[in-house]
Amino acid sequence: MTNLNIVGAAQIATVRDRGGPRRGPEQNEMDLIAGGAVAIRDGRIAAVGPADDVMSEWGDPSVPALDATGKTVLPGLVECHSHALFGGERHREYAERLGGASLAEVAARGGGIWASVLASRQSGDDDLRSRLAQGYRRVLAGGATTLEVKSGYGLTVDEELRELRLLEESRSRTPLQLVVTFLGAHVVPRDIGGESPSDAYTDLIIDEMLPAVAEQQIAQYHDVTVEDGHFTPSQALRLIEAGRAVGLEPRVHADAWKPSEGWATAAGANAVSAEHLTYTPDDEIRDVGRSDTIAVVLPVAELIYMTDRRANARAFIDGEVPLAVSTDYCSSIHATSLLTTMATAAPWFRLTPAEVVVGTTLNAAYSIGLNRDCGSIDVGKRGDLIVVDCPHPNEIFLAPGAPLLDTVVIQGSVVWSTSTGGGGEGAPGNE
C-alpha cells in the first residue's frame, strides 16, 4: 500500500457505486470525468474528480505521480469466474473440435473436464503452484486486479482440500486480490460408484466435503453446477442449502450446455451469481424477471466451445438483472485477458461499451462480495485501477487484442507497466 497521484487523464471512468449492482439503463453509465485526477493515500482512494480540484488539495510534490496524459483510467478490472488451478493440457481437444469432432467424440477419447481432473490429481503441488503463478501473471497483464478462483478439478475430499489449500497459499505470491470458491459440484466424477452416481456424489459433497471445507475456513463461496447429466435442480438445491448451513453462500454454474433450469434454480435460491447461462431459455429469463442474482456471461467460453446459442445478455439487462462479464479462464480456455474479453463481449452479445465496463468492474465486484473494496473509483475503496492507452474507453472496443493496457495499479502500487517491461515495483516474482 502506498501513496500515488494519477494525473493528466483524458477520461476517468469512475463507475460510481450507488449502493448496489447496476441494472437496466443504469448499466449503460460509466460516470466519466474528462481531464480528471485520482489521489491514493495509504492504498485507498482519497479523491477523484477534475484535476484542478483534486490537485489543489492533494498535489503534494513528495507523492509520486503517474502521468496518464491522453489516456483512460478505469477501475481495476474484476475477474469473477476462473478455474485457474489445473494440471495437464487440452489444446488437442480444441484442434479436434475445429477439425469437426463433436464434444461426445472428444469425451469418448478421454477428453473434457475429466481429463483435467485426472491430470490435476496426478500433478504435484509444485507443478500446480507454478502453473497458478503463470496464470496470475497473465491475468494481471490482462488488466484484472481482483480474481475469483475455483477449485473443482479434484472431486475427492482430499484433492478438493488440496486445491483450496494451494489457492489460499497463493495469496502471498501475487498482488491480485483473490476470492476462493469451492467447486466440488463441478461435474459428477466417473470413478464414483452407486446405482445413481450423481446422488452418491451429491451425498459425498454434503456429508464429507462441505464440513471439511468449512473446517478449513479458506473458501469464501460454494459453487454448484445445474446441468443436465450432472446435477439436477433438486440436487443443486440440497447442495445450496448444505453450503449455507456451513456459512458458504452459493454461486451456480447454469445452463452451459443445454437448458437445465439453472437460471431459475439460482435465482429462486437467491444465489449470489449464476454463470454461463448460454442455453437459458428466453421465456425463463422473462418468467424469473428482476432478480438480485447476478448473471455472469462468458463470451470466450461460447466462442471456444462453438455453442450454437449465445447467452441472451440483452434480455437479462432489459429484465433489470445485473450483468457481469468474465473470461472463464480454465483448463480448456486460456483467456486470461479480461481487457480483450471486454472487446469480444460487446459485439458478441450486442452490448454497449458502458454495459461491458460496468459488467467487468462494479457488477463483477458485487458478484464476489468485494464491492466495498473494488469495482469503482470511489473515495474509500482500494486504490486499484488501470490506465489504458486510448483517450476514451469506447476505443477499447475498437481494438480487440491490441496492446492498449499501459499500467496496472493495486493499492496505490504500480504492479504492471509497459514502461518497465511488464513488471512494476509490486509485481509478482517468478515463482
Side-chain angles (χ1 to χ4, degrees):
M1 294 186 292
T2 188
N3 300 334
L4 184 69
N5 289 332
I6 298 91
V7 298
Q11 296 284 346
I12 299 176
T14 61
V15 196
R16 290 194 309 271
D17 191 339
R18 301 169 185 173
R22 298 281 184 92
R23 61 177 82 227
E26 283 193 340
Q27 181 145 1
N28 194 32
E29 300 171 8
M30 285 188 277
D31 304 316
L32 294 173
I33 298 174
V38 182
I40 299 172
R41 297 295 182 270
D42 296 324
R44 294 270 169 179
I45 296 169
V48 57
D52 289 345
D53 295 347
V54 172
M55 297 309 292
S56 65
E57 182 175 358
W58 299 95
D60 184 342
S62 68
V63 172
L66 175 61
D67 185 2
T69 299
K71 300 171 183 176
T72 291
V73 176
L74 294 171
L77 303 182
V78 178
E79 172 59 84
C80 62
H81 180 117
S82 86
H83 308 253
L85 182 68
F86 57 84
E89 300 293 344
R90 291 173 60 187
H91 55 83
R92 291 180 183 84
E93 293 179 22
Y94 188 41
E96 290 175 358
R97 292 291 317 286
L98 290 170
S102 68
L103 285 170
E105 289 169 337
V106 169
R109 290 196 285 266
I113 290 174
W114 186 242
S116 295
V117 170
L118 295 179
S120 299
R121 289 177 180 177
Q122 294 163 6
S123 297
D125 288 2
D126 287 344
D127 179 46
L128 291 175
R129 287 189 187 103
S130 177
R131 287 172 174 267
L132 196 57
Q134 180 187 64
Y136 287 167
R137 289 193 292 270
R138 291 175 176 174
V139 167
L140 192 71
T145 57
T146 296
L147 175 69
E148 186 259 9
V149 284
K150 307 175 192 290
S151 67
Y153 291 123
L155 308 188
T156 66
V157 177
D158 289 344
E159 284 297 316
E160 285 296 309
L161 291 178
R162 178 171 78 118
E163 292 190 6
L164 291 172
R165 172 177 56 82
L166 291 172
L167 290 172
E168 178 65 20
E169 289 176 358
S170 72
R171 292 182 189 276
S172 64
R173 301 188 180 99
T174 177
L176 289 164
Q177 181 176 213
L178 300 181
V179 170
V180 176
T181 296
F182 164 59
L183 179 55
H186 194 180
V187 297
V188 177
R190 295 183 185 177
D191 55 2
I192 191 113
E195 290 185 13
S196 171
S198 61
D199 282 336
Y201 188 55
T202 298
D203 290 341
L204 177 66
I205 295 171
I206 291 172
D207 296 339
E208 299 184 41
M209 285 191 187
L210 279 168
V213 169
E215 183 178 0
Q216 199 178 42
Q217 293 188 331
I218 58 175
Q220 286 78 64
Y221 287 101
H222 174 211
D223 203 338
V224 176
T225 295
V226 182
E227 199 68 59
D228 187 46
H230 291 294
F231 301 95
T232 65
S234 60
Q235 289 169 332
L237 290 173
R238 287 184 61 213
L239 289 162
I240 287 170
E241 181 180 357
R244 280 191 165 130
V246 297
L248 294 174
E249 284 297 304
R251 315 174 69 78
V252 174
H253 269 60
D255 306 328
W257 300 108
K258 60 179 68 174
S260 304
E261 299 178 38
W263 169 244
T265 301
N270 199 29
V272 176
S273 65
E275 305 169 18
H276 279 286
L277 305 169
T278 302
Y279 287 95
T280 303
D282 294 352
D283 57 357
E284 185 173 320
I285 298 172
R286 288 192 297 269
D287 290 345
V288 169
R290 181 184 172 97
S291 173
D292 290 332
T293 298
I294 296 174
V296 180
V297 293
L298 310 170
V300 181
E302 295 176 353
L303 180 66
I304 296 294
Y305 293 149
M306 294 180 280
T307 60
D308 58 8
R309 176 185 162 98
R310 304 177 187 188
N312 195 340
R314 175 57 54 205
F316 284 111
I317 291 177
D318 290 347
E320 297 207 335
V321 174
L323 187 88
V325 177
S326 192
T327 64
D328 197 14
Y329 169 44
C330 64
S331 63
S332 59
I333 302 168
H334 294 188
T336 50
S337 173
L338 190 49
L339 197 65
T340 297
T341 298
M342 291 166 62
T344 303
W348 189 258
F349 295 122
R350 298 295 194 270
L351 299 176
T352 68
E355 288 169 337
V356 176
V357 168
V358 171
T360 52
T361 56
L362 187 66
N363 282 5
Y366 271 94
S367 81
I368 55 175
L370 291 182
N371 45 286
R372 293 183 180 180
D373 263 345
C374 61
S376 63
I377 302 178
D378 280 307
V379 172
K381 290 196 177 185
R382 284 166 47 116
D384 296 355
L385 52 83
I386 62 172
V387 180
V388 185
D389 192 8
C390 55
H392 193 284
N394 286 354
E395 295 199 19
I396 295 168
F397 300 86
L398 301 179
L404 296 181
L405 186 65
D406 181 90
T407 307
V408 179
V409 175
I410 295 181
Q411 291 187 288
S413 294
V414 174
V415 298
W416 191 95
S417 173
T418 54
S419 64
T420 56
E425 59 180 292
N430 294 318
E431 66 280 0

